[in-house]
Amino acid sequence: MSVKSKLSQLFSGHVETAEHHVEAELRTHYYKTTKDRMMKELNRIFNENERFEVVAQSAERGEITVNVHGKKLYYLVVSVIMVRPFRTAVDFTVTAKRGMDFGFGRKIMASLYESLARSFEYIGTGEN
């Protein structure tokens, strides 16, 4: 990835994970669990940290929408999909409410992925 691309991402107000993202750390993460257990764990993480405020969620669609409070307000959307029994994908989208993100969205995602890996067996990134 070029220096220009990295700088533009740093100053962007939006970052998201994806199945085939060019950056390995921003690829969809898979865990050995069910969608319901993953949703329950994500809710636990959000409820135990005062920086997170769950705004909406849909267990049917596997989505949780969260406001992340800090120096700025961030809008986080979590998508949870069980692709097959005990193989669940988790993706994040983080958007700064105003202005640039300065890499904070990446830090939010990395921290959440680390928390999930402590609770569930991490299978890998991207569909193999």
Side-chain angles (χ1 to χ4, degrees):
M1 179 169 286
S2 72
V3 173
K4 184 178 180 181
S5 294
K6 288 191 179 220
L7 283 174
S8 66
Q9 288 176 358
L10 185 66
F11 293 110
S12 171
H14 179 82
V15 64
E16 62 186 70
T17 60
E19 185 67 28
H20 301 288
H21 203 286
V22 294
E23 295 181 60
E25 67 269 12
L26 294 179
R27 289 188 188 130
T28 302
H29 281 50
Y30 289 84
Y31 300 90
K32 187 174 183 178
T33 189
T34 64
K35 180 179 88 168
D36 292 340
R37 288 181 187 155
M38 180 61 73
M39 295 288 287
K40 185 176 179 180
E41 179 62 15
L42 285 161
N43 275 296
R44 184 194 66 75
I45 291 168
F46 296 142
N47 289 328
E48 289 182 357
N49 188 326
E50 61 188 32
R51 291 179 50 208
F52 296 115
E53 172 194 3
V54 175
V55 182
Q57 63 182 305
S58 170
E60 294 168 357
R61 289 192 331 228
E63 287 188 359
I64 304 173
T65 304
V66 180
N67 284 332
V68 183
H69 301 279
K71 291 182 181 181
K72 295 176 118 181
L73 179 63
Y74 292 86
Y75 187 69
L76 166 68
V77 177
V78 185
S79 298
V80 178
I81 300 169
M82 192 162 81
V83 294
R84 59 182 156 234
F86 292 98
R87 186 174 179 92
T88 301
V90 178
D91 275 308
F92 298 112
T93 301
V94 179
T95 305
K97 182 94 172 176
R98 291 189 186 146
M100 297 176 269
D101 149 298
F102 298 107
F104 188 70
R106 289 169 174 268
K107 291 177 185 175
I108 293 170
M109 290 188 279
S111 173
L112 289 169
Y113 276 146
E114 286 174 19
S115 293
L116 295 175
R118 286 191 293 271
S119 298
F120 303 109
E121 182 182 337
Y122 172 66
I123 297 172
T125 60
E127 191 64 66
N128 297 332

